[in-house]
Amino acid sequence: MNLYTPRILIAFDFGMKRIGVAIGQTVTQTARPLDTILAKQGEPNWHAMTNLLKKWLPDALVVGIPLNMDGTDQPITQLARQFANALRERYQLPVHEIDERLTTKDARERLFNQGGYKALQDGQVDRIAAQLILQNWFAEKWRH
């Protein structure tokens, strides 16, 4: 990516029931929560996904890959990679994968601190986790 060309990125926190979505851009290297897409056994609502990508027209996508603390795969790791591959094939966009260890835990803590248990409802955790995934991607991959 050219450093001086503004780019929009959408990040995903993959889950078996919900996929958190966040949006960000390279100029300020910031991200914000965007949406939660429902999934059935890890299969996203592709219609909702297509509508979201048509609306925001991202230049690239970022998918969080869940790993164990020691860096090894866990049962959901391969499913998240399959999701990233499906995004590449369906939308013909660059898809970046990033280690997402502890993002969901961090998202839960942030939301709980802001509003208690009530703040943990409605897929908020998934959206905040996606935001953290994208912020981590900017911190690791974009800054020179």
Side-chain angles (χ1 to χ4, degrees):
M1 286 186 201
N2 180 333
L3 184 60
Y4 302 105
T5 304
R7 300 283 186 212
I8 295 183
L9 289 97
I10 291 183
F12 300 98
D13 176 44
F14 176 80
M16 296 300 288
K17 295 179 183 176
R18 289 179 308 279
I19 298 170
V21 184
I23 191 165
Q25 47 84 23
T26 57
V27 173
T28 60
Q29 298 177 16
T30 56
R32 68 176 174 85
L34 185 63
D35 202 355
T36 302
I37 292 179
L38 296 179
K40 289 185 181 173
Q41 298 178 336
E43 186 72 19
N45 175 337
W46 288 111
H47 179 72
M49 185 75 67
T50 298
N51 288 342
L52 185 122
L53 295 181
K54 281 182 181 177
K55 178 178 180 180
W56 294 100
L57 300 173
D59 299 293
L61 308 174
V62 177
V63 176
I65 304 297
L67 299 168
N68 290 315
M69 289 309 295
D70 65 2
T72 59
D73 287 2
Q74 52 181 287
I76 198 168
T77 303
Q78 192 56 39
L79 295 171
R81 288 192 173 115
Q82 288 172 2
F83 171 67
N85 287 334
L87 288 171
R88 273 185 203 96
E89 290 174 20
R90 277 181 182 262
Y91 303 110
Q92 301 297 301
L93 288 168
V95 177
H96 306 280
E97 297 178 11
I98 185 169
D99 177 355
E100 65 143 82
R101 275 179 275 190
L102 299 180
T103 54
T104 300
K105 180 180 181 288
D106 189 10
R108 284 184 189 282
E109 287 176 6
R110 288 176 186 217
L111 284 168
F112 183 81
N113 289 339
Q114 290 173 4
Y117 287 108
K118 190 173 185 176
L120 299 176
Q121 299 172 4
D122 283 343
Q124 281 283 34
V125 171
D126 307 295
R127 289 186 280 249
I128 299 294
Q131 176 187 12
L132 295 173
I133 287 166
L134 189 50
Q135 288 173 337
N136 289 343
W137 186 84
F138 283 135
E140 288 182 22
K141 309 292 184 196
W142 191 255
R143 295 199 173 128
H144 300 280

